[in-house]
Amino acid sequence: MRILHTSDWHIGRSFHGHATLDALRSVLDALVQQVREHRVDLVIVAGDVFDSATPAAGAYTLLSETLRGLADAGATVVVTSGNHDSAARLGFQSGLLRDGVHVITEPATVGTPVTVTDEHGPVHVYGIPYLEPVLLRTVWPGVRTQADVLTHAMDLVRADVARRGGRSIAVAHCFAAGVEPTPHLERDIQQGGLDIVPLSAFEGVDYMALGHIHGRQQLSPRVRYAGAPLHYSFDEGHKPRGSWLIELDADGLAADGAAVEWLPLPVPRALVTLTATLDELLADERFAGHAGDWVRAEYTDPLPQRDPMRRLLARFPHCAEVRHAPVAARTADARTYAQRVRTARNEAELVDAFLAHVRDGEGASAREAELVGELLDERTRVEATA
């Protein structure tokens, strides 16, 4: 049986204020085509289908189109809710879908599989929706953390696998021990900080499909994150986009994971970070090839420049972020700020000491020193005539 593992579509998410719906549509169309080309039997979407608990109408349309496309390609689809999704809204969507598309949002269904059959017999798919510990304490006594609820959920899965026998897959949305999150992107899955689930919690199934981390990661041959199909941050621009293709034989998944293949997805617009002075960014030919990319510009001029975003957009129409990142000036003066103030011989040197302090060692330029001198001279003339 061939299984495609994807996650974290985040339908409706913006990128630095820009809509991503059309770009995501093109990527999900490519994913549907992969399912068709590779004759995939089962597609798993491991949470965070929507980016918001209140998605716009266009997000519902894209989800319906994609799920319909996957079903038309011949695959059974299992979707679970993530920490971004509203389980109620995603669950409502399930009632409008055709046979073969399963949307799992209720904790009460944990341990009850969706069963798909091939020539070797059944494969039991256990969808675990995002579980909020505070809402489950009266149902599952003793749970306090994500580790608690995921361990309890997997205990239910393992017990059912022992009764049914056959091959098994589980799906969850969480931070697992050993992952490398993208800074400032994957929001805390529990208020107050990360709540890590140990790898041991996922034992007992042939394959564990995880969601929440936006970059692909392999925690073991049987435990993997597929990541998001679209880039949502410059910090993840270097991470490939795609999904895992898993093939189960009659005995399940080989221990070494050799039957797992990465299927890359297209990147609609590349993400780049360009670093140079503002004049170089605006004119240097080495940046000419990035006019069609999403650009984060870091200009290294010692001082902030006037209206840099407007000027950069003239060359890079998709410039999404501008940062002032001055290069620390090198100075042979090892004195502290206090020492420079104490040894200043006049007010001009006091100003120069202050500028060197706030600019990491770079004092007044020749033009600035000239202006400071003129202002001090003017003050002296005014005081003399007062």
Side-chain angles (χ1 to χ4, degrees):
M1 181 175 292
R2 290 185 173 180
I3 301 117
L4 191 78
H5 168 199
T6 178
S7 71
D8 294 276
W9 293 357
H10 286 280
I11 303 174
R13 189 166 193 157
S14 63
F15 179 78
H16 291 271
H18 300 269
T20 62
L21 206 62
D22 289 340
L24 182 58
R25 178 177 284 107
S26 70
V27 174
L28 293 179
D29 285 346
L31 186 142
V32 170
Q33 186 59 31
Q34 287 179 342
V35 168
R36 195 181 305 276
E37 290 175 358
H38 292 272
R39 293 176 294 174
V40 170
D41 302 293
L42 170 67
V43 175
I44 292 169
V45 187
D48 280 356
V49 178
F50 293 129
D51 188 61
S52 166
T54 56
Y60 284 106
T61 300
L62 177 54
L63 176 60
S64 297
E65 291 173 350
T66 303
L67 295 180
R68 185 167 57 246
L70 293 171
D72 289 344
T76 298
V77 184
V78 175
V79 181
T80 61
S81 54
N83 61 305
H84 280 252
D85 299 308
S86 162
R89 290 178 184 270
L90 194 60
F92 171 78
Q93 179 88 356
S94 66
L96 307 177
L97 299 172
R98 65 179 64 187
D99 291 342
V101 178
H102 307 267
V103 179
I104 299 171
T105 62
E106 292 295 330
T109 65
V110 172
T112 302
V114 173
T115 299
V116 186
T117 304
D118 66 4
E119 67 273 20
H120 301 300
V123 173
H124 304 299
V125 185
Y126 296 88
I128 302 174
Y130 170 66
L131 302 172
E132 182 60 64
V134 71
L135 301 179
L136 291 169
R137 288 172 185 171
T138 59
V139 182
W140 296 347
V143 299
R144 293 289 183 270
T145 66
Q146 281 286 302
D148 293 338
V149 293
L150 261 298
T151 299
H152 184 88
M154 286 300 297
D155 285 342
L156 296 175
V157 169
R158 283 184 282 265
D160 195 75
V161 170
R163 282 195 302 271
R164 295 176 189 270
R167 298 161 293 171
S168 58
I169 295 172
V171 188
H173 194 87
C174 64
F175 272 105
V179 301
E180 297 178 5
T182 304
H184 314 299
L185 183 61
E186 293 103 356
R187 302 168 204 172
D188 286 3
I189 205 158
Q190 183 177 1
Q191 187 174 3
L194 306 185
D195 196 348
I196 305 299
V197 180
L199 207 57
S200 60
F202 306 124
E203 293 176 356
V205 292
D206 286 287
Y207 183 79
M208 191 77 211
L210 295 179
H212 187 57
I213 300 301
H214 283 204
R216 73 172 183 192
Q217 295 192 40
Q218 175 183 328
L219 304 184
S220 80
R222 298 176 185 271
V223 182
R224 300 173 189 246
Y225 285 93
L230 199 66
H231 290 114
Y232 291 110
S233 164
F234 281 104
D235 291 328
E236 62 174 359
H238 64 287
K239 297 180 180 179
R241 304 290 88 171
S243 51
W244 293 111
L245 179 65
I246 305 103
E247 188 157 358
L248 299 184
D249 60 20
D251 298 319
L253 182 66
D256 61 1
V260 182
E261 176 187 357
W262 177 253
L263 295 184
L265 285 168
V267 176
R269 192 182 305 283
L271 284 75
V272 296
T273 298
L274 306 180
T275 304
T277 66
L278 186 58
D279 285 344
E280 289 174 327
L281 290 171
L282 293 172
D284 198 305
E285 280 303 309
R286 73 180 188 273
F287 302 124
H290 297 294
D293 298 340
W294 287 118
V295 170
R296 174 167 65 185
E298 296 182 339
Y299 69 95
T300 59
D301 305 62
L303 299 177
Q305 298 298 297
R306 178 179 55 83
D307 206 4
M309 176 61 89
R310 180 186 61 79
R311 297 162 68 185
L312 285 162
L313 282 171
R315 188 178 196 193
F316 306 109
H318 306 288
C319 184
E321 184 180 352
V322 177
R323 294 180 177 182
H324 181 217
V327 177
R330 295 183 179 180
T331 174
D333 193 340
R335 291 178 297 169
T336 66
Y337 175 54
Q339 289 170 335
R340 295 191 64 168
V341 168
R342 283 197 300 268
T343 57
R345 294 167 295 181
N346 51 51
E347 290 178 320
E349 289 190 1
L350 280 175
V351 172
D352 185 70
F354 172 75
L355 291 176
H357 175 63
V358 298
R359 294 178 180 173
D360 294 325
E362 183 175 350
S365 66
R367 177 56 180 155
E368 288 171 338
E370 182 181 350
L371 289 172
V372 168
E374 291 175 359
L375 289 170
L376 292 174
D377 289 344
E378 178 64 20
R379 191 193 68 177
T380 300
R381 285 194 296 271
V382 170
E383 290 175 348
T385 59

